[in-house]
Amino acid sequence: MKRNPQLNYNRLPMEKAYNVRELGGYAAKRGSVTKYHEFLRSENLTDITAGDKQFLLDYGLKAVIDLRGREETLIYPNPFRDHEEVTYINLPFITDTVLDLRAVKEEGFRPDQFYINLVEYKEMVYEIFMFILEHVEGCILFHCQAGKDRTGILAMLLLGICGVSREDIIANYQVTRTYLKDHVELRIHDGLEELEYSKPEWIEAAYDHILEKYGSFRRYLTSAGLKQKDIRKIRQKLIL
């Protein structure tokens, strides 16, 4: 497969990763558009080839935010963890309610509420955005295991502060299932098969929660501890 890292891709043509996607190319506020080669969202990258790895480096990759729990990172290590050209950080974006899937099954699991719980984990949201502020030069890739739930929330927040439409944010989330279903075994426990999907109503619940409770994505992030100048700096990284 011939790949040109200078081109702008919506979904990157990787050999052993199927959900590596751009945040570039979305209509934003005041007639602007989100930039390519600034943020990538993806699934776990453990199995990528040497060619995939070099492709990401040539694409401009400079930092990786691993949103998985520490146990996940040990079982499925990130190939950029000790890379000399990439800054890697593990910031577990997960709440106590899903640490033990067996317990979740017994209690009853509502994905829409889980997404709201992630939004309200503002201490970690603050840490994630502070890392982004420290690495505004170059492309940042963020991921969890499937590149769906934790990754989807962070993608929503980044696109949200740029004024990307609700419809585009939902569509950006929803396509994950399409890209993964024929390639990736998500290892879902019995009774939780629904979690293999990326249903629009789940991300809609998180989006609507932010607007109803905080009024805007900007006010949400200030409530998490970010300053207005911090939010502007991240928007400038992502918007043309």
Side-chain angles (χ1 to χ4, degrees), residues 170-188:
I170 293 167
N172 175 269
Y173 163 80
Q174 192 176 356
V175 74
T176 293
R177 165 68 176 173
T178 300
Y179 289 139
L180 291 184
K181 66 185 180 68
D182 294 330
H183 301 287
V184 176
E185 172 57 57
L186 297 182
R187 300 176 178 86
I188 299 298

Side-chain angles (χ1 to χ4, degrees), residues 65-84:
I65 304 173
D66 189 337
L67 302 172
R68 300 174 298 164
R70 302 198 190 284
E71 184 177 351
E72 292 174 288
T73 68
L74 295 174
I75 298 172
Y76 307 103
N78 185 287
F80 292 102
R81 181 186 296 179
D82 299 312
H83 199 283
E84 60 184 14

Side-chain angles (χ1 to χ4, degrees), residues 5-232:
Q6 304 308 313
L7 295 178
N8 298 329
Y9 297 93
N10 289 328
R11 180 170 70 110
L12 274 63
M14 308 278 285
E15 296 176 63
K16 289 294 183 179
Y18 310 98
N19 193 28
V20 183
R21 293 188 278 124
E22 268 279 0
L23 294 194
Y26 287 97
K29 284 185 176 178
R30 302 182 184 92
S32 59
V33 64
T34 56
K35 290 188 282 188
Y36 287 91
H37 296 263
E38 296 294 341
F39 286 100
L40 295 173
R41 56 174 295 171
S42 83
E43 78 270 43
N44 164 44
L45 299 175
T46 297
D47 296 328
I48 64 172
T49 66
D52 286 337
K53 196 172 181 179
Q54 188 59 52
F55 178 57
L56 287 172
L57 293 170
D58 293 340
Y59 199 78
L61 183 65
K62 292 297 181 184
V64 170
I65 304 173
D66 189 337
L67 302 172
R68 300 174 298 164
R70 302 198 190 284
E71 184 177 351
E72 292 174 288
T73 68
L74 295 174
I75 298 172
Y76 307 103
N78 185 287
F80 292 102
R81 181 186 296 179
D82 299 312
H83 199 283
E84 60 184 14
E85 298 178 38
V86 176
T87 303
Y88 168 88
I89 190 168
N90 176 216
L91 294 172
F93 192 23
I94 194 164
T95 67
D96 291 342
T97 56
V98 293
L99 286 177
D100 186 339
L101 288 178
R102 291 168 298 180
V104 168
K105 181 181 176 182
E106 293 171 3
E107 296 169 6
F109 182 66
R110 289 182 52 197
D112 56 344
Q113 185 59 53
F114 168 50
Y115 279 37
I116 292 171
N117 291 346
L118 287 176
V119 165
E120 288 300 326
Y121 190 8
K122 292 191 286 187
E123 301 91 339
M124 185 53 70
V125 169
Y126 175 82
E127 288 192 44
I128 292 167
F129 274 79
M130 292 309 293
F131 179 84
I132 291 171
L133 283 166
E134 294 167 3
H135 298 84
V136 291
E137 299 299 325
C139 183
I140 299 174
L141 181 148
F142 56 95
H143 77 97
C144 52
Q145 193 64 19
K148 178 171 69 72
D149 306 311
R150 294 161 282 186
T151 298
I153 291 294
L154 181 51
M156 177 189 72
L157 297 178
L158 289 166
L159 294 174
I161 61 172
C162 295
V164 173
S165 72
R166 184 177 188 268
E167 293 84 356
D168 281 338
I169 289 174
I170 293 167
N172 175 269
Y173 163 80
Q174 192 176 356
V175 74
T176 293
R177 165 68 176 173
T178 300
Y179 289 139
L180 291 184
K181 66 185 180 68
D182 294 330
H183 301 287
V184 176
E185 172 57 57
L186 297 182
R187 300 176 178 86
I188 299 298
H189 290 245
D190 290 343
L192 292 173
E193 291 82 1
E194 186 181 32
L195 296 183
E196 293 185 6
Y197 293 88
S198 47
K199 295 186 176 181
E201 55 264 33
W202 299 346
I203 201 74
E204 287 169 357
Y207 183 101
D208 293 343
H209 173 80
I210 287 176
L211 293 191
E212 290 167 7
K213 183 172 181 178
Y214 300 97
S216 70
F217 283 88
R218 177 178 53 81
R219 290 176 183 170
Y220 162 76
L221 288 177
T222 57
S223 78
L226 274 77
K227 298 176 181 176
Q228 294 288 352
K229 65 178 182 179
D230 298 333
I231 299 170
R232 283 196 299 269

